[in-house]
């Protein structure tokens, strides 16, 4: 049956080697039967990379089909420029109601909206402020200690009787101490304690419930839903029974800190999250809970899959599952994400097409920016619209075919201008940039004003030996740098003028279609 609906599922901070079908070293010992069963319905991409190893820029890449250096929101605090065409804009053009359940990390371009006279009270203003999605149930899942707005997940918790000014923090993301005190999940030391929320009221449960409510509300009308889970992103704290489900034997030996780390790597080692994860016992507290949050996610994917099957939606819905980036979890001496090791930049990624065979596994280098063109292609979108994107449709792989041409390497970008590492290095904000290319064998990282990095991913899959400053590999570095330059030269720069319009304008320079310039 042809695709009528799009279900775009994203987990936050889920490593590519931390689910049952994950391929990687060391790889977590975890079973995720529902995710694995869903992946077997489609095509799994085992060499997939996010647009950027940090939430905002990566997500804006997923939502636009553009690289961060094209869409411009290269750090978490940067608004997506007003006028950027998003997945929601493109899906509505094809007649699909396009909505969000969960997180986007979108920051609205308020200055641009004010300049254009767009109000949040107008339909167009809402879409401009919400990354093109109808905010059916937006909740970005990070609420500081002050009282958050009474909407979304917090409103749900208050309605269920959870007390306090911030039930997201005090119940869903905190434990209870022996004297009745609130033990905040913001602190890694509390990761081994159960959250105070009932499992049926957790963030993951609520987000799934809202997604199913939207699908039911749509009935047989076509839709595109972005189902975006906040977990297993920190705070690392899980409700029972997922807290305590995994023990110390689930914690793999940490990838060691490099003896002579690259300058950017060395600067990130001094960040608070990296120092915290290097404390004795930190990984042993955090990782079992991180895996418990993944198991919780998997259980709700199973619930969602059964719901879709019961309503016949598996027959006409394309489903994509990805993560926005990974998580170091103390590997390489680092916390959080942002650098280019596979545990940070590589992601789980599979696509299910209801009318194409499943059970396929591809080793092609694919990127998060490939999803928007894939959705457009599946729905019969205008090929000229697809040509306005940096990404490419994955359709040939879904058919089990080799495309006539495909990129030689996957690219990932980082702007670390807002991180303390930039200050420690004495780098100007506009020069705090890095790009990764991951080919079949080599992973190359180009830094502005700093030495490159190079890893042999066949001989050294754990990325323990940085060859970027080794004179014996200078030729490989030059070759990878040239490949990166070629990719830059081929990137999209014309974002408001289609290929069809270019063809129509390709002629002798004329005015009014009759008078030619320069005629004698």
């Amino acid at each position: 049956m042809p695709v009528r609906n799009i279900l775009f599922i994203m987990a936050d901070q889920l490593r590519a080697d931390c689910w049952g079908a994950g391929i990687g070293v060391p790889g977590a010992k975890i079973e995720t039967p529902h995710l694995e069963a869903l992946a077997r319905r489609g095509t799994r991409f085992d060499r997939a990379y996010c647009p950027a190893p940090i939430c905002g820029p990566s997500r804006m890449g997923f939502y636009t089909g553009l690289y961060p250096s094209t869409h411009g929101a290269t750090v978490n605090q940067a608004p997506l420029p007003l006028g950027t065409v998003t997945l929601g804009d493109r899906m509505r053009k094809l007649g699909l109601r396009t909505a969000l359940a969960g997180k986007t990390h979108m920051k609205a371009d308020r200055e641009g909206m004010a300049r254009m006279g767009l109000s949040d009270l107008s339909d167009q203003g809402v879409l401009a402020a919400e990354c093109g999605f109808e905010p059916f149930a937006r909740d970005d899942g990070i609420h500081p200690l002050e009282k958050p707005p009474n909407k979304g997940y917090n409103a749900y918790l208050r309605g269920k009787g959870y007390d306090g000014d911030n039930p997201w923090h005090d119940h869903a993301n905190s434990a209870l101490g022996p004297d009745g005190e609130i033990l905040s999940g913001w602190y890694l030391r509390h990761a081994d304690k159960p959250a105070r929320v009932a499992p049926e009221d957790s963030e993951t449960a609520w987000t799934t419930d809202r997604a199913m409510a939207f699908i039911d509300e749509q009935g047989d009308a076509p839709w595109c839903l972005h189902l975006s889970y906040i977990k297993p992103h920190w705070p690392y704290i899980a409700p029972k029974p997922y807290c305590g489900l995994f023990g110390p034997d689930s914690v793999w030996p940490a990838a060691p800190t490099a003896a002579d780390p690259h300058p950017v790597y060395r600067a990130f080692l001094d960040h608070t999250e990296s120092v915290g994860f290097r404390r004795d016992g930190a990984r042993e507290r955090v990782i079992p809970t991180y895996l418990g949050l993944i198991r919780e996610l998997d259980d709700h994917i199973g619930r969602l899959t059964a719901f879709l099957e019961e309503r016949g939606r598996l027959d006409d819905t394309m489903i994509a599952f990805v993560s926005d980036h990974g998580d170091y979890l103390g590997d390489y001496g680092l916390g959080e994400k942002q650098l280019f090791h596979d545990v940070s930049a590589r992601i789980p990624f599979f696509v299910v097409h209801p009318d194409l065979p499943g059970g396929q596994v591809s080793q092609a280098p694919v990127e998060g920016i490939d999803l928007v063109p894939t959705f457009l292609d599946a729905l019969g979108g205008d090929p000229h619209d697809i040509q306005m994107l940096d990404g490419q449709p994955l359709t040939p792989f879904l058919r089990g075919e080799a495309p006539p041409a495909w990129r030689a390497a996957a690219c990932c970008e980082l702007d670390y201008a807002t991180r303390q590492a930039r200050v420690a290095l004495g780098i100007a904000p506009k020069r705090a940039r890095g790009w990764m290319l991951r080919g079949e064998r080599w992973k190359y990282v180009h830094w502005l004003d700093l030495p490159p990095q190079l890893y042999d991913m066949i001989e050294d899959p754990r990325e323990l030996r940085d060859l970027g400053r080794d004179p014996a590999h200078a030729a490989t570095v030059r070759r990878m740098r040239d490949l990166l330059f070629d990719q830059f030269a081929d990137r999209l720069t014309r974002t408001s003028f289609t290929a069809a319009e270019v063809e129509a304008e390709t002629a002798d320079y004329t005015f009014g279609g009759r008078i030619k310039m320069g005629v004698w």
Side-chain angles (χ1 to χ4, degrees):
M1 183 180 294
V3 173
R4 294 181 70 251
N5 313 304
I6 299 290
L7 177 58
F8 173 18
I9 307 172
M10 180 180 284
D12 198 320
Q13 211 147 307
L14 172 59
R15 284 171 48 144
D17 60 358
C18 284
W19 66 300
I23 307 298
V25 179
K29 297 179 177 66
I30 179 174
E31 295 179 354
T32 49
H34 303 297
L35 274 170
E36 293 165 60
L38 190 56
R40 285 193 296 270
R41 289 176 174 265
T43 301
R44 194 180 81 219
F45 296 93
D46 277 351
R47 191 139 57 93
Y49 287 85
C50 61
I54 184 171
C55 293
S58 184
R59 288 168 175 271
M60 298 310 108
F62 275 105
Y63 303 157
T64 62
L66 305 173
Y67 287 110
S69 52
T70 305
H71 65 61
T74 60
V75 297
N76 273 350
Q77 295 81 4
L80 186 69
L82 187 69
T84 306
V85 182
T86 66
L87 171 64
D89 301 319
R90 297 190 186 280
M91 293 292 101
R92 275 189 299 277
K93 182 179 176 181
L94 296 174
L96 281 70
R97 181 186 177 194
T98 304
L100 163 74
K103 171 180 178 175
T104 63
H105 214 290
M106 158 75 171
K107 184 173 181 180
D109 182 0
R110 298 291 176 187
E111 184 177 335
M113 290 176 65
R115 187 169 61 250
M116 299 303 296
L118 281 176
S119 165
D120 280 355
L121 300 178
S122 69
D123 291 343
Q124 287 303 314
V126 169
L127 295 174
E130 298 288 350
C131 208
F133 295 110
E134 174 193 330
F136 185 81
R138 179 176 177 178
D139 200 294
D140 277 10
I142 301 296
H143 299 289
L145 298 183
E146 67 266 18
K147 183 177 180 179
N150 187 27
K151 63 180 183 179
Y153 182 54
N154 256 307
Y156 168 81
L157 291 176
R158 290 193 183 100
K160 295 284 286 188
Y162 293 95
D163 59 9
D165 287 342
N166 189 342
W168 173 89
H169 173 266
D170 294 353
H171 293 273
N173 287 281
S174 289
L176 203 60
D179 298 318
E181 70 274 27
I182 293 174
L183 304 178
S184 174
W186 286 114
Y187 297 99
L188 301 183
R189 62 179 177 268
H190 298 317
D192 59 342
K193 303 172 180 66
R196 299 176 66 201
V197 72
E200 64 270 19
D201 295 329
S202 73
E203 287 175 281
T204 301
W206 176 82
T207 307
T208 308
D209 289 342
R210 298 310 298 149
M212 294 191 298
F214 171 80
I215 294 169
D216 265 346
E217 183 177 300
Q218 278 301 97
D220 289 329
W223 48 266
C224 171
L225 176 65
H226 181 34
L227 170 53
S228 183
Y229 293 102
I230 180 63
K231 298 298 184 182
H233 188 286
W234 44 261
Y236 304 106
I237 192 162
K240 290 182 177 179
Y242 302 102
C243 176
L245 197 60
F246 295 88
D249 60 335
S250 67
V251 181
W252 58 87
T257 304
D260 180 24
H262 183 276
V264 176
Y265 177 2
R266 183 186 298 114
F268 270 80
L269 285 168
D270 291 335
H271 283 190
T272 303
E273 65 274 10
S274 299
V275 174
F277 265 101
R278 293 200 301 274
R279 288 182 62 95
D280 287 344
R283 296 178 71 250
E284 288 70 23
R285 293 198 187 194
V286 171
I287 289 176
T289 295
Y290 177 83
L291 298 179
L293 290 167
I294 296 169
R295 179 64 67 81
E296 180 187 24
L297 170 65
D298 185 71
D299 283 349
H300 286 283
I301 292 295
R303 188 163 68 97
L304 176 65
T305 303
F307 166 88
L308 293 169
E309 188 163 29
E310 181 182 302
R311 283 154 178 76
R313 292 282 77 89
L314 289 178
D315 297 330
D316 59 9
T317 301
M318 171 175 274
I319 303 172
F321 179 88
V322 298
S323 174
D324 58 348
H325 50 71
D327 192 326
Y328 275 104
L329 296 172
D331 278 324
Y332 308 99
L334 296 164
E336 270 282 86
K337 54 268 183 181
Q338 294 197 40
L339 299 186
F340 295 114
H341 297 94
D342 266 16
V343 299
S344 172
R346 184 165 155 260
I347 55 173
F349 193 123
F350 64 79
V351 179
V352 180
H353 191 300
D355 203 32
L356 293 176
Q360 303 173 108
V361 179
S362 172
Q363 299 298 327
V366 305
E367 304 176 9
I369 59 172
D370 296 328
L371 275 185
V372 172
T374 301
F375 296 155
L376 287 173
D377 197 43
L379 291 163
D382 188 338
H384 297 300
D385 286 345
I386 297 173
Q387 292 170 4
M388 301 289 286
L389 305 172
D390 284 321
Q392 304 174 58
L394 297 168
T395 314
F397 299 110
L398 305 184
R399 294 194 185 110
E401 303 168 356
W406 194 254
R407 65 176 68 92
C411 187
C412 187
E413 304 184 8
L414 174 66
D415 180 343
Y416 62 101
T418 58
R419 299 309 310 272
Q420 188 61 32
R422 175 191 65 79
V423 180
L425 290 166
I427 301 290
K430 72 176 183 179
R431 304 291 293 177
R433 304 293 300 279
W435 294 265
M436 179 211 80
L437 270 188
R438 166 67 158 97
E440 186 173 357
R441 177 174 182 179
W442 299 103
K443 176 186 282 190
Y444 169 72
V445 181
H446 182 85
W447 300 100
L448 296 182
D449 303 330
L450 292 167
Q453 292 178 274
L454 182 72
Y455 295 95
D456 185 334
M457 300 300 289
I458 294 177
E459 298 295 327
D460 178 29
R462 293 194 74 187
E463 302 171 80
L464 301 179
R465 298 185 298 277
D466 180 359
L467 307 171
R469 290 167 283 176
D470 183 349
H473 291 86
T476 302
V477 167
R478 287 194 298 272
R479 186 168 65 252
M480 295 300 288
R481 184 178 60 220
D482 289 347
L483 182 61
L484 179 64
F485 180 85
D486 288 344
Q487 191 186 78
F488 283 163
D490 195 44
R491 283 196 181 183
L492 185 68
T493 56
R494 190 189 305 110
T495 60
S496 60
F497 201 57
T498 70
E501 290 170 321
V502 170
E503 292 291 347
E505 289 291 321
T506 304
D508 287 344
Y509 203 66
T510 62
F511 294 92
R514 295 193 307 168
I515 302 174
K516 293 185 177 182
M517 175 179 165
V519 175
W520 182 258

